[in-house]
Amino acid sequence: NSELWAEYGACQRRIREDLAASGEELHRVNADTGKSQAMARSFQASVPRTPGSDASFHVRSPISGRELVVSAPGSKPGQRIQVVDPLSSALPGTSVDASINEVVLFHGTDLVSASSIVSDNFRINFAGSRTGSLYGRGAYFAESCTKADEYAGVNASGLHTIVMCRVTLGRTLYTEEVTPDPAACEELCQSKAFHSVVGDRRWSRGTFREFVVFDESQVSASYVIQYRRIFD
């Protein structure tokens, strides 16, 4: 949808301008989407002279533009190694822009809602009507397809639906609270003090992180994925 893509680009420009005007250093968010390596591409990088104590170092991917943390135990300084970037340019549009915390995330839903999202985008005014609103009335996403699967509706053929989206998080409100104040999260983001919420329930509950935005123009749907659950 070219109209929605244009709205998404305009929103990104507003967030860039907001971040530039504040002059603050952006806390980078690395989403773990794509750990399955299903669409991964790789590139070569040199191990720095002084890698971290755990043999790790940071490198910017020429594929997606993301800053990656690379672990290379046993490697030597200057050695060229192959680095896998879990997010490739197979996504529609431009490369993912890490400078504004653009990430690729999953949203579990039903096929009818997924079709509406692709044609008309998310409807924030309906947020929480089916699944609740722990962090406020926003659009919820996960880096884990397992988490998104919890909300994936099933049709008569036994197929579940997940939407894969580009989401611009911008300045994030990070919280580890087990029972956050949803109204406060909403207000802070609607006032533009923050652009999104990252609820780290991986840390507080040992489950999954949740990513929430309160402006639908911060989201661009890339793919509708249908699948069948297979149990061993």
Side-chain angles (χ1 to χ4, degrees):
N1 187 316
S2 57
E3 185 177 336
L4 292 180
W5 179 251
E7 289 178 7
Y8 182 65
C11 178
Q12 287 191 316
R13 286 192 293 275
R14 289 195 299 271
I15 289 177
R16 282 193 194 94
E17 290 168 1
D18 183 24
L19 295 173
S22 71
E24 65 186 274
E25 184 177 351
L26 183 68
H27 174 73
R28 294 291 175 85
V29 176
N30 287 325
D32 293 335
T33 315
K35 275 192 170 181
S36 64
Q37 310 296 314
M39 61 177 191
R41 292 170 60 193
S42 62
F43 61 94
Q44 285 202 332
S46 295
V47 177
R49 293 183 179 276
T50 54
S53 57
D54 58 351
S56 66
F57 62 96
H58 292 255
V59 63
R60 185 167 297 282
S61 167
I63 299 169
S64 67
R66 300 171 71 227
E67 185 174 288
L68 305 176
V69 179
V70 179
S71 181
S75 59
K76 300 177 180 178
Q79 180 180 339
R80 299 282 288 175
I81 63 171
Q82 202 72 14
V83 177
V84 174
D85 186 338
L87 298 178
S88 76
S89 56
L91 288 169
T94 56
S95 297
V96 173
D97 188 350
S99 71
I100 51 175
N101 275 336
E102 184 184 20
V103 292
V104 177
L105 299 169
F106 298 113
H107 176 81
T109 187
D110 57 72
L111 184 57
V112 172
S113 297
S115 300
S116 177
I117 287 168
V118 170
S119 60
D120 301 316
N121 212 347
F122 284 81
R123 300 288 295 276
I124 298 296
N125 55 320
F126 291 151
S129 56
R130 283 200 320 139
T131 58
S133 50
L134 182 65
Y135 300 100
R137 294 164 297 178
Y140 283 66
F141 302 89
E143 61 199 332
S144 166
C145 58
T146 302
K147 174 64 177 176
D149 176 69
E150 294 179 15
Y151 308 101
V154 61
N155 65 13
S157 301
L159 294 175
H160 295 260
T161 303
I162 284 177
V163 185
M164 190 175 189
C165 303
R166 301 168 74 121
V167 184
T168 299
L169 299 175
R171 188 186 301 110
T172 58
L173 171 60
Y174 174 82
T175 175
E176 298 169 349
E177 291 183 71
V178 175
T179 53
D181 182 342
C185 292
E186 230 178 285
E187 184 179 347
L188 284 167
C189 289
Q190 288 176 344
S191 69
K192 304 306 179 186
F194 297 92
H195 301 112
S196 63
V197 174
V198 177
D200 197 347
R201 303 188 79 74
R202 185 169 63 184
W203 185 92
S204 62
R205 288 292 198 181
T207 54
F208 304 99
R209 293 195 298 179
E210 298 190 43
F211 303 79
V212 190
V213 298
F214 301 88
D215 179 351
E216 54 262 37
S217 63
Q218 287 176 238
V219 185
S220 176
S222 297
Y223 296 104
V224 173
I225 303 168
Q226 286 198 284
Y227 61 95
R228 194 182 307 278
R229 290 176 180 167
I230 298 176
F231 301 94
D232 292 333

